[in-house]
Amino acid sequence: MTGTTDPTATLVTPEVEVWWEQGGKLVDFALGNAYSVTSYLNLIISLTGWNPIEEAQKSLGGDWEGLLKAAKAVENLASFNTAYSDAIDEAMKNIDSSWRGNAATSADSYFSKLTAAIDGQVEPLSLISNTIASFAWEAFGIAQAIQALLLELGDLVIKWVLTQAAVESRIVV
């Protein structure tokens, strides 16, 4: 396989988007959660091992990280098909110079059809990968909207409770 990529090198375990692990969470906090009392309460509760906001996000918004991994896995499969087809073409070029006759013609015809079939799968796999990734980003948006809604509702409840407590303390005094 000189000159071609080893097809198996493209079949790697998909990882969640690097941006989320390397700063997306910090940006998410800075843009919306830093001023939310509910966010800090949720952080304290999450120290017990239960994160109610995250649970609601997953229940209502879905597993967007899992969807992104699935999209990447399908993308890797498309890359595998391309590399596999290229490896077959490269191998057939090396055989062409030394192999002649009906067997060589039959093998060439077979492998040409095989690589055409493999190449024919690349575009649909890429389309599937893009569709899954699009769905994953929509699920991420829903999860973020759920988080924002819950934090806003929580902050409004806290504000109402504090207002009621202030009103009650004025009546007693």
Side-chain angles (χ1 to χ4, degrees):
M1 265 192 273
T2 56
T4 60
T5 304
D6 178 13
T8 59
T10 62
L11 295 177
V12 295
T13 303
E15 298 293 329
V16 74
E17 295 292 319
V18 174
W19 68 268
W20 183 247
E21 296 300 324
Q22 294 181 347
K25 291 178 182 178
L26 179 62
V27 170
D28 180 50
F29 177 77
L31 291 178
N33 303 344
Y35 62 87
S36 172
V37 175
T38 306
S39 176
Y40 291 108
L41 287 174
N42 186 63
L43 182 62
I44 292 167
I45 292 169
S46 70
L47 295 175
T48 67
W50 179 57
N51 188 331
I53 301 277
E54 190 174 289
E55 290 290 324
Q57 284 180 299
K58 285 188 178 180
S59 294
L60 301 172
D63 183 8
W64 65 270
E65 291 178 358
L67 286 169
L68 277 179
K69 286 180 182 179
K72 187 64 178 170
V74 175
E75 181 183 317
N76 290 348
L77 185 56
S79 297
F80 171 82
N81 280 9
T82 300
Y84 188 53
S85 177
D86 291 346
I88 291 171
D89 285 341
E90 187 68 29
M92 287 308 293
K93 286 178 188 173
N94 292 336
I95 291 174
D96 272 350
S97 62
S98 62
W99 197 12
R100 304 262 182 250
N102 289 338
T105 304
S106 293
D108 186 49
S109 174
Y110 172 79
F111 285 112
S112 293
K113 290 176 185 173
L114 177 62
T115 56
I118 292 170
D119 289 339
Q121 294 175 359
V122 172
E123 187 177 337
L125 287 171
S126 295
L127 180 62
I128 291 168
S129 174
N130 291 339
T131 302
I132 294 171
S134 176
F135 189 69
W137 289 118
E138 293 298 325
F140 174 74
I142 290 169
Q144 293 303 95
I146 290 166
Q147 175 186 1
L149 178 66
L150 290 175
L151 293 177
E152 183 66 26
L153 288 174
D155 288 345
L156 287 173
V157 167
I158 291 169
K159 183 178 178 181
W160 181 82
V161 167
L162 292 175
T163 303
Q164 293 304 311
V167 167
E168 288 295 321
S169 69
R170 286 187 191 165
I171 292 174
V172 173
V173 176

